[in-house]
Amino acid sequence: MYLITIKMYITIADGKKCAYFSTIFRHMKTKIGDVNFRFTQEEFKIQAMDGNQIGLIELVLNRDWFEEYSVSQPCTLGLNCELFDKVLNCANDKHSLSLHFTDDGDTLEVHLDSDEKEIINMHFTINLLDLQCDMLMIPEVEYDADIAIRSKVFEKTIKQMIGFAKTLNIQCSEDAVTLETTKESTLGNGSAKANINLDDMQEYMIEEDGHINLNFNLEYLNWMVQFASLSEYASLHFSPQYPMRLRYDLDIISDNPIADEEVGSEQVNYIEFYLAPQIDDF
């Protein structure tokens, strides 16, 4: 009987992609403590919920996103997000990032290498965690309203709103999208309201005569928009029957971010979030 040695070796050589990777974990660690890295022959995937079980994050990177991607057999590695972020913080834009794992140990090897002069190569060993986290099967659903808006615009709006309340009411009609802090969650005497007109959005689709009126936790929305630098556009999807979905595509292939999602998950690299609406009166 022969034992199969699971080997994983991936490399990110592109400076922009290394910066993406660092950005993801810099912000992920604020809500996520430990997480499973899941490697198959075709993709790298992370799926995790925050400690309060309110928000879900999912990251999918196809093998072609990496400079090198070699996984002989599917494997799952448990890591602490804060520790991994500290390792990534040691990289600069001249480093390439490599992750190595074999099944004869319980550690992940991380290498930061560069051929540039005066750039020091660094190597790290991270102890792996045994995390009992099952993957959730997220069904494909039809949302009542779909929005594509510049990520920085949506990020700025949410950051302005969080200074006034803890809950945000989002209403979508055929004419506009309105964001307004709820009276019950207002901090002090202030309030905030933003009207997003059709011209402010790259794409907007809503069911005929449709109307969305939902409340969301502003703290979690504010966490989700911290990832805005990863993509030019944010795609938002709303329905009373399902959690809100916010998605950043990591390689836009057209000027229509919503249409890009229809290409297929095997062709698209993305990070997305799911947030259930609050059951509050407005």
Side-chain angles (χ1 to χ4, degrees):
M1 181 177 180
Y2 297 92
L3 295 177
I4 298 175
T5 299
I6 300 173
K7 295 182 179 180
M8 181 277 295
Y9 179 90
I10 66 172
T11 300
I12 306 173
D14 181 84
K16 185 175 182 179
K17 290 182 177 180
C18 285
Y20 278 5
F21 217 62
S22 181
T23 297
I24 288 168
F25 287 94
R26 183 188 318 131
H27 299 307
M28 186 185 295
K29 70 177 182 181
T30 63
K31 292 292 184 187
I32 308 294
D34 301 325
V35 68
N36 276 329
F37 283 25
R38 302 177 190 272
F39 299 89
T40 68
Q41 284 90 345
E42 299 302 323
E43 66 180 19
F44 164 64
K45 188 172 187 176
I46 287 176
Q47 188 189 87
M49 295 195 74
D50 73 291
N52 295 321
Q53 302 289 294
I54 295 176
L56 174 74
I57 183 172
E58 182 171 88
L59 169 68
V60 176
L61 297 175
N62 188 273
R63 61 175 298 135
D64 295 335
W65 194 85
F66 299 89
E67 184 76 15
E68 297 180 77
Y69 189 95
S70 176
V71 177
S72 61
Q73 187 173 325
C75 57
T76 299
L77 312 180
L79 292 168
N80 177 267
C81 284
E82 185 171 2
L83 178 59
F84 192 63
D85 174 62
K86 289 180 179 179
V87 170
L88 296 181
N89 275 337
C90 295
N92 64 38
D93 58 4
K94 301 299 183 182
H95 276 129
S96 65
L97 169 69
S98 298
L99 308 181
H100 304 177
F101 169 75
T102 60
D103 71 352
D104 56 359
D106 56 1
T107 61
L108 175 70
E109 303 296 325
V110 184
H111 302 274
L112 301 176
D113 298 308
S114 175
D115 295 329
E116 298 283 338
K117 290 183 178 181
E118 299 183 356
I119 302 295
I120 305 300
N121 295 339
M122 303 189 70
H123 309 282
F124 305 86
T125 300
I126 301 177
N127 293 330
L128 299 175
L129 308 174
D130 184 15
L131 304 177
Q132 302 301 316
C133 302
D134 295 329
M135 290 287 289
L136 298 176
M137 296 302 295
I138 301 174
E140 289 292 329
V141 299
E142 292 286 337
Y143 285 89
D144 295 351
D146 303 299
I147 299 169
I149 188 171
R150 291 196 181 274
S151 300
K152 289 295 184 181
V153 172
F154 188 65
E155 176 191 21
K156 183 177 181 180
T157 304
I158 295 299
K159 285 185 174 180
Q160 291 169 336
M161 292 285 186
I162 199 171
F164 294 91
K166 297 179 180 179
T167 302
L168 183 70
N169 176 258
I170 298 180
Q171 296 193 39
C172 304
S173 67
E174 292 185 351
D175 299 320
V177 176
T178 301
L179 312 181
E180 186 172 3
T181 55
T182 65
K183 299 178 178 63
E184 290 79 4
S185 72
T186 296
L187 306 174
N189 297 318
S191 64
K193 182 177 181 180
N195 294 319
I196 303 177
N197 298 317
L198 298 181
D199 291 342
D200 298 323
M201 296 176 280
Q202 182 73 8
E203 296 286 340
Y204 182 48
M205 293 181 286
I206 189 170
E207 288 189 345
E208 187 176 357
D209 298 323
H211 185 76
I212 298 294
N213 187 345
L214 299 170
N215 293 342
F216 295 96
N217 185 303
L218 253 175
E219 178 187 343
Y220 279 82
L221 285 173
N222 188 58
W223 172 55
M224 295 171 181
V225 300
Q226 303 302 314
F227 297 78
S229 63
L230 297 174
S231 180
E232 184 176 2
Y233 296 101
S235 297
L236 299 105
H237 308 269
F238 299 98
S239 177
Q241 291 80 31
Y242 308 112
M244 180 205 81
R245 183 175 76 165
L246 168 60
R247 176 178 175 129
Y248 300 105
D249 284 328
L250 300 184
D251 43 7
I252 298 295
I253 58 176
S254 78
D255 293 329
N256 187 337
I258 291 176
D260 288 343
E261 296 180 15
E262 300 175 359
V263 174
S265 60
E266 73 276 12
Q267 298 294 331
V268 179
N269 305 292
Y270 63 86
I271 185 168
E272 65 184 10
F273 304 85
Y274 292 85
L275 182 64
Q278 293 183 343
I279 309 301
D280 293 330
D281 294 330
F282 179 62

